[in-house]
């Protein structure tokens, strides 16, 4: 839970801001101090990822969504949106 309490700080340390484009991007060595995402379901279109997500959602107490986005956006969803939607102390599960 200590890690979860400081996830915003970790998130900020993984990014660099490009003043020209006005966008953030993940640093090449962002995961040097540990993993960024513990678990992800990835795959090509029509390979069964949506079915896998739906089946896991039926047996696990997790919010289920099928999000097609770049890694940097997925990290944002996990570390910034999750606390806004479910509270800062809610564990990813």
């Amino acid at each position: 839970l200590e890690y979860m309490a400081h996830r915003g700080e970790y998130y900020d340390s993984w990014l660099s801001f490009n003043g020209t484009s006005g966008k953030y991007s993940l640093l090449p060595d962002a995961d040097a101090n540990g993993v960024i995402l513990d678990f992800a379901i990835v795959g090509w279109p029509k390979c069964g990822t949506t079915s896998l997500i739906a089946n896991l959602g039926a047996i696990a107490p997790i919010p289920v969504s099928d999000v097609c986005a770049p890694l940097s956006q997925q990290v944002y969803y996990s570390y910034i949106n999750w606390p806004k939607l479910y509270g800062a102390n809610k564990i990813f599960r």
Side-chain angles (χ1 to χ4, degrees):
L1 290 177
E2 182 66 25
Y3 177 81
M4 301 308 276
H6 298 284
R7 65 180 146 200
E9 297 167 30
Y10 290 112
Y11 176 79
D12 292 338
S13 73
W14 297 327
L15 301 173
S16 66
F17 181 73
N18 183 328
T20 305
S21 68
K23 295 182 179 182
Y24 287 92
S25 60
L26 282 173
L27 295 170
D29 63 345
D31 60 350
N33 294 323
V35 298
I36 295 173
L37 295 175
D38 293 327
F39 183 81
I41 298 172
V42 297
W44 297 100
K46 301 293 186 188
C47 73
T49 54
T50 302
S51 295
L52 180 59
I53 292 167
N55 289 327
L56 286 173
I59 61 171
I62 59 171
V64 177
S65 65
D66 188 1
V67 179
C68 297
L71 177 60
S72 59
Q73 194 64 40
Q74 293 293 351
V75 171
Y76 177 83
Y77 292 152
S78 300
Y79 284 85
I80 302 300
N81 277 2
W82 180 275
K84 288 179 185 176
L85 294 172
Y86 303 105
N89 295 323
K90 176 75 173 169
I91 297 174
F92 301 138
R93 32 184 291 229

